Every structure is written in structure tokens, then in C-alpha cells.
Amino acid sequence: MKRLLGMEILGLANMIRRVTFNDLDIFKDGDRPTQVQHFVLVQIWHSTEDVYQRDLEKKFRIRRSTIAEILKGMEKKGLIIRTSSPLDKRTKKIELTQKAIEMCEEEKERVDETERRLTDGLSADDIDTFYMIMDKMLGNLQKEEHK
């Protein structure tokens, strides 16, 4: 059977998620963030500036109503708090709770280990080539998306 790039990439992403994130102890049943919530958490954690809902809308290219629902679920799980901006009460600043910060710190170690395992035996040129090809693939999909 012919190998399909999309399916191979999906399989690799699933394996990365499984070896990196599946057995984190910090969450009780039902508290574990969804995959999308996880991406939002990591984005906030890595940000060096205050994060607002509109920033997440732009970053993830999703509608206001969609990010609002994602954030609502994250609040219920005790992962974030939303506070009004002192400059504009309609604008909500998104902050991680201590629970979310601990999760991100624990995950960072796992992500670093996964990165080490993924790149074992690869040269810097191999990695640069991978990024170049991945960027071209993303560009191809984005071109099609905007037609």
C-alpha cells in the first residue's frame, strides 16, 4: 500500500502525543485539557506578554465564539482565570492558574525528552531540511485554503 504523507504525519503526531503527554499525574479524571485546550495553555505559558482572547483568535485562526467556548471549558477545569483589562473592561486578560503552570512545567521536561528522542541520529542539516519541507507543505495548504 502506498504511504500517504498526511497519514504518516498524523501517525507521528499521535505517537508524539502518546509518549509525551498521556500519563501526566497532575490531573484528576475529567480535568485533563482537550488537545485544543492544551495548545492554548502552551501558547499562554510561552507568551512573554499579556494574552487576551483576541490574541488567541488570531494565533489559532478561530472565531470569537469558538475561543470563548474553549476558554470557558478551561475555566471550569481550573486551568485559567479571565480578568478585565484596566484599560478596557470588555477585553479579558487570560492567566494560567497554578495548576496549569505546574502542568506546563512538568510537560516541558517531557517535551524536551521527546525532542531529544525525535532528533537522535539527525544532523542539523536533516532538521533544517525537515523544517523547510514542512513549511512548504503548510504554505501549499494555506494557498488552497484562501482560494
Side-chain angles (χ1 to χ4, degrees), residues 14-108:
N14 286 335
M15 177 61 82
I16 291 168
R17 189 172 32 262
R18 194 167 42 249
V19 302
T20 307
F21 305 117
N22 271 2
D23 62 345
L24 288 175
D25 318 349
I26 196 166
F27 297 107
K28 300 178 181 97
D29 292 335
D31 278 354
R32 180 178 296 280
T34 65
Q35 185 174 2
V36 172
Q37 290 172 344
H38 180 265
F39 291 140
V40 171
L41 281 176
V42 170
Q43 180 65 34
I44 297 167
W45 190 60
H46 283 287
S47 181
T48 56
E49 299 176 0
D50 289 345
V51 176
Y52 296 89
Q53 182 171 322
R54 70 177 175 275
D55 301 324
L56 299 171
E57 291 168 27
K58 288 177 188 172
K59 173 67 180 172
F60 294 106
R61 297 184 184 115
I62 55 180
R63 293 185 184 101
R64 182 183 310 167
S65 59
T66 303
I67 194 65
E69 284 301 311
I70 292 167
L71 295 173
K72 189 170 142 185
M74 293 169 70
E75 272 185 311
K76 281 184 180 179
K77 292 178 181 182
L79 301 171
I80 63 162
I81 55 171
R82 290 190 272 188
T83 56
S84 294
S85 166
L87 303 175
D88 182 354
K89 298 293 181 199
R90 298 169 298 173
T91 305
K92 300 292 186 189
K93 180 178 162 184
I94 315 298
E95 297 178 87
L96 299 181
T97 62
Q98 186 60 37
K99 175 182 179 177
I101 291 168
E102 290 171 12
M103 182 212 71
C104 289
E105 289 170 350
E106 182 179 337
E107 282 189 354
K108 182 181 180 332

